[in-house]
């Protein structure tokens, strides 16, 4: 009887696995709800992200390609109907003047030309990350700056044609596969249309008053320049009227003065993403978007991408092992796509696997964080990891690279300390599943100073 029960269980299990393997996903929420989080992701728990691209060349903080065109300090917000402009000079605009020149003469397109990534070595970085406990790795394929870090067929402004003149995603991918690390890519470029609108501006005072920045330049303007033959509008996408409210509106609300992208922009974006997925075959893709890319404009676009990711991954692996992350998903949508929570945490255990993306400093490299030793330390990151894992989540930690493609000494120290703790306590992290409650009772040890977490044992 015992043997028959085992055989019956095996048959049922095999049938269920086979049914999952044979799922064909359609581009609808209902069909995509058949998705199940892959075990590799649920087991991995800790990943490293390289939020690295041309905006790291100045080593001057986040959103450089937008903020370098803002003359005065600006209080723009994501959903406010008005943007406030201060009276003090914007520090990134000042940095640009001091290091490169005026944005009318030396725009972000020219910063790209300065970026060489001369000391970048994907093999050595990923060897370090794996040794320090990372079970998966993510590289940034593009940011809001609209520059592709791969051999893009649809975006001529890419890292193979200019800047480093290297297929950076290709190098990351090969290094990850060599080390048996799961590989992911992040995509942020859907918002370039509105994000770059500051490049349409001009100074309001001083010797360059009224002289337009370079956001409206076209291919014809490049004769005799280093970028001859390339159209800056493929990068900046500023052939439309800018929003007068000086805001970044993430949900494309036309009531706030936002002009929505045209069909050519949307088609190009879709083609770039599909090529990225098909050519580099990542295990994971992350979108810096609410619900789905361009969801408020075309609700079907992201669903088509999700179905394509899941179906092609099934062909590659025999079953669907893909992970697609987006933000601000409701409970029903989380059955189809995996939730990502930026720089925060779930309040309690979530029924489906999820991810926090966090950074030890700013998203893009900021040398001031290093000079003043202001990174999050291992003693702060480790409890964060433990709490996230206890709630059924993963932590993807960004270690921003310098423009040349290297880590600074503070970053190396922090990741090595995390790795030392994981070598001792990894059994309580990797391949675990949440208990009935995520946190229970006060600590039995009182301390007035931060504990030496990487030398202590932790129980979840």
């Amino acid at each position: 009887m015992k043997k028959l029960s085992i055989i019956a269980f095996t048959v049922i299990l095999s049938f269920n696995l086979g049914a999952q393997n044979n799922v064909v996903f359609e581009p609808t929420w209902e069909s995509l709800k058949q998705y199940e989080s892959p075990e590799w992701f649920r087991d991995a728990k800790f990943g490293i992200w390289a939020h690295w691209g041309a905006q790291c060349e100045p080593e001057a903080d986040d959103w450089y390609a937008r903020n370098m065109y803002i003359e005065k300090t600006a209080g723009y917000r994501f959903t406010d109907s008005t943007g406030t402009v201060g009276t003090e000079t914007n520090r990134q605009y000042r940095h640009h003047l001091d290091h490169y020149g005026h944005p009318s003469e030396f725009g972000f397109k020219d910063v790209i030309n300065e970026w060489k990534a001369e000391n970048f070595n994907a093999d050595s970085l990923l060897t370090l990350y794996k040794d320090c406990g990372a079970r998966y790795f993510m590289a940034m394929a593009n940011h809001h700056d609209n520059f592709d870090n791969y051999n893009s067929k649809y975006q001529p402004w890419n890292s193979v044609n200019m800047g480093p003149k290297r297929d950076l995603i290709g190098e990351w991918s090969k290094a990850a596969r060599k080390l048996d690390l799961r590989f992911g890519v992040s995509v942020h470029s859907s918002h370039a249309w509105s994000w770059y609108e500051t490049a349409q501006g001009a100074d309001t005072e001083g010797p360059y008053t009224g002289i337009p920045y370079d956001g409206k330049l076209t291919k014809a303007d490049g004769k005799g320049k280093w970028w001859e033959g390339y159209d800056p509008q493929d990068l900046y996408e500023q052939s439309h009227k800018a929003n007068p409210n000086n805001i970044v509106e993430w949900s494309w609300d036309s009531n706030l003065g936002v002009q929505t992208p045209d069909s050519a922009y949307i088609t190009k974006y879709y083609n770039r993403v599909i090529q990225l997925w098909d050519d580099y075959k990542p295990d994971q893709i992350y979108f810096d978007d609410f619900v789905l890319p361009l969801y408020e404009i075309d609700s079907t676009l992201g669903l088509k991408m999700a179905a394509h990711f899941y179906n092609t991954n099934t062909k590659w692996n025999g079953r669907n092992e893909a992970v697609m992350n987006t933000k601000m998903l409701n409970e029903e949508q989380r059955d189809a796509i995996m939730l990502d929570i930026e720089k925060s945490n779930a309040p309690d255990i979530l029924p489906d696997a999820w991810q926090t993306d966090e950074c030890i400093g700013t998203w893009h490299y900021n040398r001031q964080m290093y000079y003043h030793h202001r990174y999050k330390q291992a003693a702060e990151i480790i409890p964060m990891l433990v709490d996230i894992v206890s709630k059924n989540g993963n932590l993807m930690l960004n270690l921003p690279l310098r423009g040349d493609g290297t880590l600074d000494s503070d970053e190396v120290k922090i990741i090595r300390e995390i790795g030392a703790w994981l070598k001792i306590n990894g059994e309580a992290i990797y391949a675990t599943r949440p208990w009935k409650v995520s946190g229970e009772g006060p600590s039995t040890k009182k301390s007035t100073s931060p504990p030496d977490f990487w030398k202590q044992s932790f129980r979840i």
Side-chain angles (χ1 to χ4, degrees), residues 71-101:
E71 180 188 17
K72 301 295 182 180
T73 52
Y76 53 83
R77 289 179 284 182
F78 287 107
T79 56
D80 196 355
S81 60
T82 59
T84 58
V85 178
T87 58
E88 296 183 4
T89 302
N90 176 18
R91 60 184 174 82
Q92 286 170 300
Y93 168 87
R94 170 53 59 188
H95 178 93
H96 196 80
L97 290 182
D98 292 344
H99 291 83
Y100 300 109

PDB file of all heavy atoms in Angstrom, residues 71-101:
ATOM      1  N   GLU A  71      19.051  74.774 -14.318  1.00  0.00           N
ATOM      2  CA  GLU A  71      19.928  75.873 -13.880  1.00  0.00           C
ATOM      3  C   GLU A  71      19.810  76.146 -12.385  1.00  0.00           C
ATOM      4  O   GLU A  71      20.815  76.331 -11.690  1.00  0.00           O
ATOM      5  CB  GLU A  71      19.576  77.133 -14.667  1.00  0.00           C
ATOM      6  CG  GLU A  71      20.404  78.355 -14.311  1.00  0.00           C
ATOM      7  CD  GLU A  71      19.858  79.610 -14.990  1.00  0.00           C
ATOM      8  OE1 GLU A  71      18.693  79.591 -15.461  1.00  0.00           O
ATOM      9  OE2 GLU A  71      20.592  80.614 -15.014  1.00  0.00           O
ATOM     10  N   LYS A  72      18.586  76.172 -11.890  1.00  0.00           N
ATOM     11  CA  LYS A  72      18.340  76.477 -10.479  1.00  0.00           C
ATOM     12  C   LYS A  72      17.817  75.246  -9.760  1.00  0.00           C
ATOM     13  O   LYS A  72      17.257  74.334 -10.369  1.00  0.00           O
ATOM     14  CB  LYS A  72      17.320  77.620 -10.346  1.00  0.00           C
ATOM     15  CG  LYS A  72      17.752  78.919 -11.011  1.00  0.00           C
ATOM     16  CD  LYS A  72      18.973  79.505 -10.338  1.00  0.00           C
ATOM     17  CE  LYS A  72      19.372  80.834 -10.975  1.00  0.00           C
ATOM     18  NZ  LYS A  72      20.564  81.415 -10.323  1.00  0.00           N
ATOM     19  N   THR A  73      17.998  75.223  -8.456  1.00  0.00           N
ATOM     20  CA  THR A  73      17.473  74.114  -7.674  1.00  0.00           C
ATOM     21  C   THR A  73      15.984  73.981  -7.949  1.00  0.00           C
ATOM     22  O   THR A  73      15.257  74.970  -8.008  1.00  0.00           O
ATOM     23  CB  THR A  73      17.693  74.350  -6.170  1.00  0.00           C
ATOM     24  OG1 THR A  73      17.187  75.627  -5.825  1.00  0.00           O
ATOM     25  CG2 THR A  73      19.163  74.262  -5.816  1.00  0.00           C
ATOM     26  N   ALA A  74      15.542  72.755  -8.131  1.00  0.00           N
ATOM     27  CA  ALA A  74      14.163  72.528  -8.543  1.00  0.00           C
ATOM     28  C   ALA A  74      13.480  71.552  -7.609  1.00  0.00           C
ATOM     29  O   ALA A  74      14.042  70.521  -7.247  1.00  0.00           O
ATOM     30  CB  ALA A  74      14.118  72.000  -9.976  1.00  0.00           C
ATOM     31  N   GLY A  75      12.255  71.868  -7.226  1.00  0.00           N
ATOM     32  CA  GLY A  75      11.487  70.997  -6.345  1.00  0.00           C
ATOM     33  C   GLY A  75      10.471  70.180  -7.088  1.00  0.00           C
ATOM     34  O   GLY A  75       9.347  70.028  -6.622  1.00  0.00           O
ATOM     35  N   TYR A  76      10.823  69.672  -8.259  1.00  0.00           N
ATOM     36  CA  TYR A  76       9.866  68.877  -9.016  1.00  0.00           C
ATOM     37  C   TYR A  76       9.575  67.570  -8.291  1.00  0.00           C
ATOM     38  O   TYR A  76      10.408  67.006  -7.618  1.00  0.00           O
ATOM     39  CB  TYR A  76      10.381  68.590 -10.430  1.00  0.00           C
ATOM     40  CG  TYR A  76      11.743  67.973 -10.493  1.00  0.00           C
ATOM     41  CD1 TYR A  76      11.927  66.606 -10.333  1.00  0.00           C
ATOM     42  CD2 TYR A  76      12.874  68.761 -10.707  1.00  0.00           C
ATOM     43  CE1 TYR A  76      13.181  66.033 -10.387  1.00  0.00           C
ATOM     44  CE2 TYR A  76      14.140  68.201 -10.759  1.00  0.00           C
ATOM     45  CZ  TYR A  76      14.281  66.845 -10.599  1.00  0.00           C
ATOM     46  OH  TYR A  76      15.525  66.293 -10.642  1.00  0.00           O
ATOM     47  N   ARG A  77       8.341  67.113  -8.447  1.00  0.00           N
ATOM     48  CA  ARG A  77       7.909  65.870  -7.818  1.00  0.00           C
ATOM     49  C   ARG A  77       7.175  65.022  -8.838  1.00  0.00           C
ATOM     50  O   ARG A  77       6.753  65.508  -9.880  1.00  0.00           O
ATOM     51  CB  ARG A  77       7.025  66.165  -6.607  1.00  0.00           C
ATOM     52  CG  ARG A  77       7.823  66.740  -5.432  1.00  0.00           C
ATOM     53  CD  ARG A  77       6.919  67.035  -4.249  1.00  0.00           C
ATOM     54  NE  ARG A  77       6.153  68.236  -4.452  1.00  0.00           N
ATOM     55  CZ  ARG A  77       5.307  68.736  -3.557  1.00  0.00           C
ATOM     56  NH1 ARG A  77       5.138  68.119  -2.412  1.00  0.00           N
ATOM     57  NH2 ARG A  77       4.633  69.831  -3.809  1.00  0.00           N
ATOM     58  N   PHE A  78       6.961  63.768  -8.480  1.00  0.00           N
ATOM     59  CA  PHE A  78       6.395  62.833  -9.449  1.00  0.00           C
ATOM     60  C   PHE A  78       4.940  63.130  -9.792  1.00  0.00           C
ATOM     61  O   PHE A  78       4.522  62.968 -10.910  1.00  0.00           O
ATOM     62  CB  PHE A  78       6.500  61.397  -8.921  1.00  0.00           C
ATOM     63  CG  PHE A  78       7.897  60.869  -8.962  1.00  0.00           C
ATOM     64  CD1 PHE A  78       8.632  60.711  -7.802  1.00  0.00           C
ATOM     65  CD2 PHE A  78       8.501  60.547 -10.163  1.00  0.00           C
ATOM     66  CE1 PHE A  78       9.924  60.229  -7.838  1.00  0.00           C
ATOM     67  CE2 PHE A  78       9.789  60.069 -10.217  1.00  0.00           C
ATOM     68  CZ  PHE A  78      10.504  59.910  -9.044  1.00  0.00           C
ATOM     69  N   THR A  79       4.148  63.548  -8.840  1.00  0.00           N
ATOM     70  CA  THR A  79       2.713  63.663  -9.096  1.00  0.00           C
ATOM     71  C   THR A  79       2.142  65.033  -8.759  1.00  0.00           C
ATOM     72  O   THR A  79       0.932  65.214  -8.740  1.00  0.00           O
ATOM     73  CB  THR A  79       1.938  62.607  -8.287  1.00  0.00           C
ATOM     74  OG1 THR A  79       2.263  62.753  -6.900  1.00  0.00           O
ATOM     75  CG2 THR A  79       2.297  61.207  -8.749  1.00  0.00           C
ATOM     76  N   ASP A  80       2.991  66.009  -8.490  1.00  0.00           N
ATOM     77  CA  ASP A  80       2.500  67.345  -8.185  1.00  0.00           C
ATOM     78  C   ASP A  80       2.178  68.067  -9.489  1.00  0.00           C
ATOM     79  O   ASP A  80       2.828  67.866 -10.517  1.00  0.00           O
ATOM     80  CB  ASP A  80       3.577  68.120  -7.420  1.00  0.00           C
ATOM     81  CG  ASP A  80       3.022  69.360  -6.741  1.00  0.00           C
ATOM     82  OD1 ASP A  80       1.840  69.644  -6.955  1.00  0.00           O
ATOM     83  OD2 ASP A  80       3.776  70.021  -6.006  1.00  0.00           O
ATOM     84  N   SER A  81       1.165  68.914  -9.443  1.00  0.00           N
ATOM     85  CA  SER A  81       0.761  69.612 -10.667  1.00  0.00           C
ATOM     86  C   SER A  81       1.631  70.823 -10.961  1.00  0.00           C
ATOM     87  O   SER A  81       1.556  71.404 -12.030  1.00  0.00           O
ATOM     88  CB  SER A  81      -0.703  70.049 -10.560  1.00  0.00           C
ATOM     89  OG  SER A  81      -0.871  70.923  -9.465  1.00  0.00           O
ATOM     90  N   THR A  82       2.456  71.215  -9.998  1.00  0.00           N
ATOM     91  CA  THR A  82       3.340  72.356 -10.223  1.00  0.00           C
ATOM     92  C   THR A  82       4.745  71.998  -9.786  1.00  0.00           C
ATOM     93  O   THR A  82       4.950  71.283  -8.813  1.00  0.00           O
ATOM     94  CB  THR A  82       2.877  73.594  -9.432  1.00  0.00           C
ATOM     95  OG1 THR A  82       2.849  73.262  -8.036  1.00  0.00           O
ATOM     96  CG2 THR A  82       1.505  74.048  -9.890  1.00  0.00           C
ATOM     97  N   GLY A  83       5.723  72.499 -10.500  1.00  0.00           N
ATOM     98  CA  GLY A  83       7.113  72.325 -10.105  1.00  0.00           C
ATOM     99  C   GLY A  83       7.637  73.648  -9.590  1.00  0.00           C
ATOM    100  O   GLY A  83       7.350  74.707 -10.150  1.00  0.00           O
ATOM    101  N   THR A  84       8.380  73.628  -8.494  1.00  0.00           N
ATOM    102  CA  THR A  84       8.907  74.866  -7.936  1.00  0.00           C
ATOM    103  C   THR A  84      10.368  75.021  -8.316  1.00  0.00           C
ATOM    104  O   THR A  84      11.123  74.057  -8.340  1.00  0.00           O
ATOM    105  CB  THR A  84       8.772  74.872  -6.410  1.00  0.00           C
ATOM    106  OG1 THR A  84       9.467  73.731  -5.881  1.00  0.00           O
ATOM    107  CG2 THR A  84       7.311  74.807  -6.001  1.00  0.00           C
ATOM    108  N   VAL A  85      10.767  76.226  -8.608  1.00  0.00           N
ATOM    109  CA  VAL A  85      12.151  76.512  -8.989  1.00  0.00           C
ATOM    110  C   VAL A  85      12.757  77.427  -7.938  1.00  0.00           C
ATOM    111  O   VAL A  85      12.197  78.470  -7.605  1.00  0.00           O
ATOM    112  CB  VAL A  85      12.222  77.174 -10.379  1.00  0.00           C
ATOM    113  CG1 VAL A  85      13.666  77.499 -10.741  1.00  0.00           C
ATOM    114  CG2 VAL A  85      11.602  76.259 -11.424  1.00  0.00           C
ATOM    115  N   GLY A  86      13.898  77.024  -7.404  1.00  0.00           N
ATOM    116  CA  GLY A  86      14.566  77.818  -6.381  1.00  0.00           C
ATOM    117  C   GLY A  86      15.437  78.914  -6.973  1.00  0.00           C
ATOM    118  O   GLY A  86      15.435  79.165  -8.182  1.00  0.00           O
ATOM    119  N   THR A  87      16.201  79.543  -6.116  1.00  0.00           N
ATOM    120  CA  THR A  87      17.057  80.651  -6.545  1.00  0.00           C
ATOM    121  C   THR A  87      18.536  80.285  -6.569  1.00  0.00           C
ATOM    122  O   THR A  87      19.338  81.000  -7.155  1.00  0.00           O
ATOM    123  CB  THR A  87      16.862  81.853  -5.607  1.00  0.00           C
ATOM    124  OG1 THR A  87      17.167  81.451  -4.259  1.00  0.00           O
ATOM    125  CG2 THR A  87      15.424  82.355  -5.667  1.00  0.00           C
ATOM    126  N   GLU A  88      18.893  79.156  -5.948  1.00  0.00           N
ATOM    127  CA  GLU A  88      20.292  78.761  -5.900  1.00  0.00           C
ATOM    128  C   GLU A  88      20.655  77.908  -7.119  1.00  0.00           C
ATOM    129  O   GLU A  88      19.822  77.196  -7.661  1.00  0.00           O
ATOM    130  CB  GLU A  88      20.577  77.989  -4.613  1.00  0.00           C
ATOM    131  CG  GLU A  88      20.376  78.819  -3.349  1.00  0.00           C
ATOM    132  CD  GLU A  88      20.732  78.032  -2.108  1.00  0.00           C
ATOM    133  OE1 GLU A  88      21.196  76.879  -2.249  1.00  0.00           O
ATOM    134  OE2 GLU A  88      20.537  78.564  -0.996  1.00  0.00           O
ATOM    135  N   THR A  89      21.909  77.978  -7.499  1.00  0.00           N
ATOM    136  CA  THR A  89      22.376  77.194  -8.637  1.00  0.00           C
ATOM    137  C   THR A  89      22.303  75.700  -8.320  1.00  0.00           C
ATOM    138  O   THR A  89      22.761  75.265  -7.258  1.00  0.00           O
ATOM    139  CB  THR A  89      23.817  77.570  -9.013  1.00  0.00           C
ATOM    140  OG1 THR A  89      23.860  78.961  -9.307  1.00  0.00           O
ATOM    141  CG2 THR A  89      24.307  76.771 -10.209  1.00  0.00           C
ATOM    142  N   ASN A  90      21.730  74.938  -9.211  1.00  0.00           N
ATOM    143  CA  ASN A  90      21.648  73.491  -9.055  1.00  0.00           C
ATOM    144  C   ASN A  90      23.055  72.907  -9.065  1.00  0.00           C
ATOM    145  O   ASN A  90      23.861  73.202  -9.946  1.00  0.00           O
ATOM    146  CB  ASN A  90      20.803  72.919 -10.206  1.00  0.00           C
ATOM    147  CG  ASN A  90      20.732  71.413 -10.200  1.00  0.00           C
ATOM    148  OD1 ASN A  90      21.020  70.774  -9.205  1.00  0.00           O
ATOM    149  ND2 ASN A  90      20.350  70.856 -11.324  1.00  0.00           N
ATOM    150  N   ARG A  91      23.371  72.039  -8.100  1.00  0.00           N
ATOM    151  CA  ARG A  91      24.748  71.546  -7.952  1.00  0.00           C
ATOM    152  C   ARG A  91      25.202  70.709  -9.144  1.00  0.00           C
ATOM    153  O   ARG A  91      26.384  70.738  -9.511  1.00  0.00           O
ATOM    154  CB  ARG A  91      24.907  70.767  -6.649  1.00  0.00           C
ATOM    155  CG  ARG A  91      24.023  69.554  -6.513  1.00  0.00           C
ATOM    156  CD  ARG A  91      24.175  68.887  -5.153  1.00  0.00           C
ATOM    157  NE  ARG A  91      23.239  67.813  -4.973  1.00  0.00           N
ATOM    158  CZ  ARG A  91      23.418  66.582  -5.453  1.00  0.00           C
ATOM    159  NH1 ARG A  91      24.513  66.302  -6.134  1.00  0.00           N
ATOM    160  NH2 ARG A  91      22.517  65.650  -5.251  1.00  0.00           N
ATOM    161  N   GLN A  92      24.287  69.937  -9.765  1.00  0.00           N
ATOM    162  CA  GLN A  92      24.711  69.132 -10.910  1.00  0.00           C
ATOM    163  C   GLN A  92      24.905  70.002 -12.154  1.00  0.00           C
ATOM    164  O   GLN A  92      25.787  69.734 -12.973  1.00  0.00           O
ATOM    165  CB  GLN A  92      23.727  67.996 -11.156  1.00  0.00           C
ATOM    166  CG  GLN A  92      23.860  66.882 -10.109  1.00  0.00           C
ATOM    167  CD  GLN A  92      22.751  65.868 -10.180  1.00  0.00           C
ATOM    168  OE1 GLN A  92      21.585  66.213 -10.028  1.00  0.00           O
ATOM    169  NE2 GLN A  92      23.094  64.613 -10.387  1.00  0.00           N
ATOM    170  N   TYR A  93      24.099  71.032 -12.286  1.00  0.00           N
ATOM    171  CA  TYR A  93      24.326  72.019 -13.354  1.00  0.00           C
ATOM    172  C   TYR A  93      25.681  72.691 -13.141  1.00  0.00           C
ATOM    173  O   TYR A  93      26.467  72.851 -14.090  1.00  0.00           O
ATOM    174  CB  TYR A  93      23.189  73.045 -13.328  1.00  0.00           C
ATOM    175  CG  TYR A  93      23.418  74.275 -14.173  1.00  0.00           C
ATOM    176  CD1 TYR A  93      23.073  74.294 -15.520  1.00  0.00           C
ATOM    177  CD2 TYR A  93      23.959  75.435 -13.620  1.00  0.00           C
ATOM    178  CE1 TYR A  93      23.272  75.425 -16.312  1.00  0.00           C
ATOM    179  CE2 TYR A  93      24.167  76.570 -14.384  1.00  0.00           C
ATOM    180  CZ  TYR A  93      23.817  76.565 -15.723  1.00  0.00           C
ATOM    181  OH  TYR A  93      24.021  77.690 -16.486  1.00  0.00           O
ATOM    182  N   ARG A  94      25.982  73.070 -11.910  1.00  0.00           N
ATOM    183  CA  ARG A  94      27.282  73.696 -11.602  1.00  0.00           C
ATOM    184  C   ARG A  94      28.425  72.728 -11.860  1.00  0.00           C
ATOM    185  O   ARG A  94      29.466  73.113 -12.417  1.00  0.00           O
ATOM    186  CB  ARG A  94      27.280  74.171 -10.152  1.00  0.00           C
ATOM    187  CG  ARG A  94      28.640  74.631  -9.612  1.00  0.00           C
ATOM    188  CD  ARG A  94      29.316  75.671 -10.472  1.00  0.00           C
ATOM    189  NE  ARG A  94      28.505  76.873 -10.628  1.00  0.00           N
ATOM    190  CZ  ARG A  94      28.809  77.864 -11.463  1.00  0.00           C
ATOM    191  NH1 ARG A  94      29.871  77.765 -12.256  1.00  0.00           N
ATOM    192  NH2 ARG A  94      28.034  78.919 -11.554  1.00  0.00           N
ATOM    193  N   HIS A  95      28.246  71.477 -11.471  1.00  0.00           N
ATOM    194  CA  HIS A  95      29.279  70.464 -11.737  1.00  0.00           C
ATOM    195  C   HIS A  95      29.545  70.375 -13.236  1.00  0.00           C
ATOM    196  O   HIS A  95      30.706  70.289 -13.664  1.00  0.00           O
ATOM    197  CB  HIS A  95      28.827  69.097 -11.205  1.00  0.00           C
ATOM    198  CG  HIS A  95      29.797  67.992 -11.478  1.00  0.00           C
ATOM    199  ND1 HIS A  95      30.775  67.599 -10.586  1.00  0.00           N
ATOM    200  CD2 HIS A  95      29.964  67.183 -12.571  1.00  0.00           C
ATOM    201  CE1 HIS A  95      31.482  66.616 -11.106  1.00  0.00           C
ATOM    202  NE2 HIS A  95      31.006  66.339 -12.312  1.00  0.00           N
ATOM    203  N   HIS A  96      28.477  70.415 -14.012  1.00  0.00           N
ATOM    204  CA  HIS A  96      28.636  70.297 -15.457  1.00  0.00           C
ATOM    205  C   HIS A  96      29.405  71.495 -16.022  1.00  0.00           C
ATOM    206  O   HIS A  96      30.315  71.328 -16.859  1.00  0.00           O
ATOM    207  CB  HIS A  96      27.275  70.167 -16.136  1.00  0.00           C
ATOM    208  CG  HIS A  96      27.365  69.678 -17.537  1.00  0.00           C
ATOM    209  ND1 HIS A  96      27.527  68.352 -17.854  1.00  0.00           N
ATOM    210  CD2 HIS A  96      27.358  70.337 -18.729  1.00  0.00           C
ATOM    211  CE1 HIS A  96      27.607  68.206 -19.163  1.00  0.00           C
ATOM    212  NE2 HIS A  96      27.498  69.411 -19.716  1.00  0.00           N
ATOM    213  N   LEU A  97      29.054  72.687 -15.575  1.00  0.00           N
ATOM    214  CA  LEU A  97      29.786  73.881 -16.030  1.00  0.00           C
ATOM    215  C   LEU A  97      31.267  73.777 -15.693  1.00  0.00           C
ATOM    216  O   LEU A  97      32.130  74.103 -16.512  1.00  0.00           O
ATOM    217  CB  LEU A  97      29.203  75.137 -15.379  1.00  0.00           C
ATOM    218  CG  LEU A  97      27.816  75.611 -15.798  1.00  0.00           C
ATOM    219  CD1 LEU A  97      27.476  76.901 -15.063  1.00  0.00           C
ATOM    220  CD2 LEU A  97      27.721  75.829 -17.301  1.00  0.00           C
ATOM    221  N   ASP A  98      31.559  73.328 -14.492  1.00  0.00           N
ATOM    222  CA  ASP A  98      32.945  73.284 -14.016  1.00  0.00           C
ATOM    223  C   ASP A  98      33.776  72.217 -14.705  1.00  0.00           C
ATOM    224  O   ASP A  98      34.997  72.382 -14.886  1.00  0.00           O
ATOM    225  CB  ASP A  98      32.974  73.048 -12.504  1.00  0.00           C
ATOM    226  CG  ASP A  98      32.423  74.224 -11.708  1.00  0.00           C
ATOM    227  OD1 ASP A  98      32.311  75.325 -12.291  1.00  0.00           O
ATOM    228  OD2 ASP A  98      32.101  74.038 -10.519  1.00  0.00           O
ATOM    229  N   HIS A  99      33.149  71.113 -15.085  1.00  0.00           N
ATOM    230  CA  HIS A  99      33.915  69.969 -15.612  1.00  0.00           C
ATOM    231  C   HIS A  99      33.796  69.765 -17.118  1.00  0.00           C
ATOM    232  O   HIS A  99      34.688  69.161 -17.729  1.00  0.00           O
ATOM    233  CB  HIS A  99      33.489  68.691 -14.893  1.00  0.00           C
ATOM    234  CG  HIS A  99      33.891  68.643 -13.455  1.00  0.00           C
ATOM    235  ND1 HIS A  99      33.157  69.252 -12.460  1.00  0.00           N
ATOM    236  CD2 HIS A  99      34.961  68.080 -12.841  1.00  0.00           C
ATOM    237  CE1 HIS A  99      33.751  69.058 -11.297  1.00  0.00           C
ATOM    238  NE2 HIS A  99      34.839  68.350 -11.492  1.00  0.00           N
ATOM    239  N   TYR A 100      32.702  70.241 -17.718  1.00  0.00           N
ATOM    240  CA  TYR A 100      32.489  69.964 -19.139  1.00  0.00           C
ATOM    241  C   TYR A 100      32.208  71.207 -19.979  1.00  0.00           C
ATOM    242  O   TYR A 100      32.565  71.251 -21.156  1.00  0.00           O
ATOM    243  CB  TYR A 100      31.306  68.986 -19.309  1.00  0.00           C
ATOM    244  CG  TYR A 100      31.502  67.651 -18.634  1.00  0.00           C
ATOM    245  CD1 TYR A 100      30.771  67.317 -17.498  1.00  0.00           C
ATOM    246  CD2 TYR A 100      32.415  66.722 -19.125  1.00  0.00           C
ATOM    247  CE1 TYR A 100      30.942  66.089 -16.872  1.00  0.00           C
ATOM    248  CE2 TYR A 100      32.591  65.496 -18.508  1.00  0.00           C
ATOM    249  CZ  TYR A 100      31.853  65.180 -17.373  1.00  0.00           C
ATOM    250  OH  TYR A 100      32.028  63.964 -16.763  1.00  0.00           O
ATOM    251  N   GLY A 101      31.536  72.179 -19.404  1.00  0.00           N
ATOM    252  CA  GLY A 101      31.147  73.350 -20.178  1.00  0.00           C
ATOM    253  C   GLY A 101      29.651  73.566 -20.124  1.00  0.00           C
ATOM    254  O   GLY A 101      28.925  72.894 -19.382  1.00  0.00           O
TER     255      GLY A 101
END
